[in-house]
Amino acid sequence: MAWSRLASIPTKHPLAFGVVISTFKTSFSDLLVQKVVEQKEEIDWKRNAAFGAFGCIYLGGVQYAIYVPLFSRLFPNAASFAAKGIREKMKDVKGMMALGAQVFLDQCVHHPLMYFPAFYITREVVMHDEPDIKRCLTTYKSNMMEDLQALWKVWVPATFFNFAFMPMWGRIPWVAATSLLWTSILSAMRGGDVAHSEEVAGGAVTGASMNIMKEGLDEIFTCPVDLDPDMAHICVSASGPDKLGWVSKVARAVSDGGGNVTHSKMVRLGHEFIILMHVAVPPEQHRLLVKGLNENKALSPLNLRTSSLTRRQTGLYDKPLLGFRIHCVGEDRPGKLAAISEKVLSLGLSVDNISTELRMGKGGRRDFVVNADCTSAFVTINDKQKLEEIFDDLSTLKSSLKLEVLDVRVHH
């Protein structure tokens, strides 16, 4: 009896149900960002209340008025179409046309002209002590095409499903659930990354949040691992004429000698094949592995060299408190790596790992890509002002070096 009453609430009170779900979703999304992404010790309840109000008034109220009463009048057969089976839907030409019209109005009219302006204004008011509405709308204007393209990639299929299959009372909960899932994914991918908290907050699918998703799928950043004190460590370097199978031969020789390849970089440069790798090996097998690599005749064309590595001595170096990954992409030109590394040095950051590559960019352009993993021994995750200064200083590289992408991630 109690369950049947609860189950009837969405159909009997669709507006109240949608408002409650949207308020909870938006409030929870902000809590997720504050605790997981920004990792705040104390929750900013004023900010959370602002996002909750946005969820209650706009997502729950305004969107309900658009999706249910307004669309019901514009498309009177929408509810009956949603209740049909898939085969019946495919035969209903008028219903399919009405479905397309609903998606068009939602994605090409409602979101560009109402939702995004409301979202940008709310985020401006919530995230800044001195909000500038004109500035935030100007930002939206410049981001509009990128934001809409990102929105359509996620919400066009979600909206088709919503209008095609969800009953009227379920439209707002479906939108809220999809948005919450999106925010959860971004928060998980950007855990501890205070540099992009504004893009994650609110759960909207914007161009910035879509880039976060793409970068996160391309590469999940992990901080460099220090050398295992229970193992011996070897640096293996080699260069020789490029030949099919070098990687498998070297990897097999290391494995047969009891070694384990951890960090490595192997690349063909012109006619030369270059190898640089770190190998961990049990101490008792250290000499046997080195001897086996040096005396391996099959590897002699590579001019293979080995050297022993030791851990940094405690006390001689400051303990890292925070990790940074700096990702840059821009048209190739001399001096870019020098400028980036000099900027990193000026900020007191220590480079643990840096890699560069050339890749084909837009219109056949040669792009220079830099990935630098750095650590700081003087800045913590709670030093917001110092972090902002570092971000602002690094951001000057984008204009001075004409970079297409400059992304800074923070981990601790």
Side-chain angles (χ1 to χ4, degrees):
M1 187 67 176
W3 171 249
S4 61
R5 288 181 178 178
L6 288 174
S8 66
I9 290 176
T11 54
K12 289 183 177 180
H13 309 283
L15 175 58
F17 182 70
V19 167
V20 170
I21 292 295
S22 296
T23 304
F24 171 79
K25 183 278 299 184
T26 313
S27 177
F28 182 76
S29 295
D30 179 62
L31 290 176
L32 198 64
V33 172
Q34 290 196 45
K35 297 301 290 185
V36 178
V37 178
E38 299 173 359
Q39 298 191 356
K40 290 185 174 182
E41 293 183 4
E42 296 184 3
I43 295 173
D44 185 345
W45 291 109
K46 181 179 179 181
R47 160 180 155 175
N48 185 256
F51 273 116
F54 176 71
C56 176
I57 298 170
Y58 189 88
L59 302 182
V62 175
Q63 285 197 155
Y64 176 85
I66 293 172
Y67 291 158
V68 182
L70 179 59
F71 274 26
S72 293
R73 292 182 180 181
L74 293 175
F75 309 98
N77 297 320
S80 60
F81 178 81
K84 292 180 179 180
I86 295 178
R87 289 185 179 180
E88 291 178 296
K89 284 184 172 69
M90 298 303 295
K91 296 177 181 178
D92 188 350
V93 177
K94 291 184 178 180
M96 294 293 288
M97 292 178 64
L99 172 62
Q102 289 179 80
V103 174
F104 173 80
L105 287 176
D106 182 49
Q107 296 297 307
C108 300
V109 179
H110 165 226
H111 275 83
L113 302 182
M114 295 179 64
Y115 175 81
F116 269 126
F119 172 75
Y120 270 82
I121 291 172
T122 300
R123 196 178 65 176
E124 177 73 18
V125 172
V126 170
M127 305 294 288
H128 297 89
D129 294 331
E130 297 181 0
D132 187 336
I133 304 302
K134 183 179 180 180
R135 179 188 64 188
C136 81
L137 292 178
T138 301
T139 300
Y140 168 56
K141 183 179 179 181
S142 63
N143 295 345
M144 179 181 287
M145 288 309 300
E146 185 180 6
D147 284 351
L148 290 177
Q149 289 172 10
L151 174 86
W152 294 334
K153 290 176 183 178
V154 175
W155 279 105
V156 166
T159 304
F160 262 110
F161 185 90
N162 192 19
F163 293 152
F165 297 101
M166 299 302 293
M168 287 298 179
W169 63 264
R171 289 187 169 188
I172 295 301
W174 170 260
V175 170
T178 306
S179 180
L180 177 58
L181 178 62
W182 176 261
T183 307
S184 301
I185 293 172
L186 291 180
S187 295
M189 298 177 77
R190 286 297 175 125
D193 183 357
V194 298
H196 296 83
S197 57
E198 279 195 37
E199 285 84 350
V200 179
V205 182
T206 64
S209 64
M210 182 61 76
N211 286 334
I212 290 173
M213 173 67 75
K214 289 178 180 177
E215 292 161 7
L217 292 173
D218 289 341
E219 183 174 5
I220 298 176
F221 168 63
T222 55
C223 292
V225 178
D226 205 356
L227 301 184
D228 186 342
D230 297 326
M231 302 287 279
H233 302 275
I234 304 170
C235 176
V236 179
S237 58
S239 64
D242 183 37
K243 179 183 176 181
L244 188 67
W246 278 137
V247 174
S248 61
K249 285 183 171 63
V250 174
R252 174 52 58 190
V254 169
S255 178
D256 290 347
N260 178 44
V261 177
T262 59
H263 303 285
S264 67
K265 180 69 175 180
M266 292 167 265
V267 62
R268 178 178 59 81
L269 297 176
H271 296 292
E272 293 287 305
F273 192 75
I274 314 297
I275 295 175
L276 181 64
M277 62 172 59
H278 165 259
V279 177
V281 61
E284 62 273 13
Q285 295 180 262
H286 175 267
R287 290 190 177 184
L288 184 63
L289 174 60
V290 171
K291 182 179 179 181
L293 290 173
N294 290 333
E295 295 179 357
N296 192 318
K297 292 183 179 180
L299 300 178
S300 58
L302 282 176
N303 302 304
L304 191 144
R305 296 172 295 280
T306 60
S307 58
S308 296
L309 300 173
T310 57
R311 299 180 74 234
R312 298 198 302 185
Q313 298 181 27
T314 304
L316 297 181
Y317 300 90
D318 294 324
K319 182 180 178 181
L321 300 176
L322 206 60
F324 295 81
R325 160 153 287 199
I326 303 169
H327 173 64
C328 306
V329 181
E331 187 175 5
D332 180 40
R333 73 177 191 187
K336 280 195 172 181
L337 180 60
I340 293 169
S341 57
E342 288 167 355
K343 177 65 71 175
V344 167
L345 176 63
S346 71
L347 295 173
L349 303 180
S350 173
V351 175
D352 285 348
N353 180 38
I354 190 166
S355 63
T356 65
E357 64 176 335
L358 285 175
R359 72 182 186 194
M360 192 68 69
K362 296 178 180 178
R365 185 184 66 192
R366 287 161 54 93
D367 278 347
F368 185 64
V369 182
V370 179
N371 287 304
D373 295 331
C374 309
T375 56
S376 172
F378 63 91
V379 179
T380 68
I381 194 70
N382 296 318
D383 295 333
K384 303 298 184 184
Q385 183 175 353
K386 191 62 180 178
L387 281 173
E388 287 295 334
E389 292 175 359
I390 292 175
F391 296 147
D392 291 343
D393 214 350
L394 288 172
S395 65
T396 61
L397 291 171
K398 189 166 188 178
S399 57
S400 63
L401 298 180
K402 298 181 179 179
L403 299 174
E404 183 175 344
V405 176
L406 174 62
D407 181 45
V408 183
R409 311 184 194 181
V410 181
H411 292 260
H412 69 99

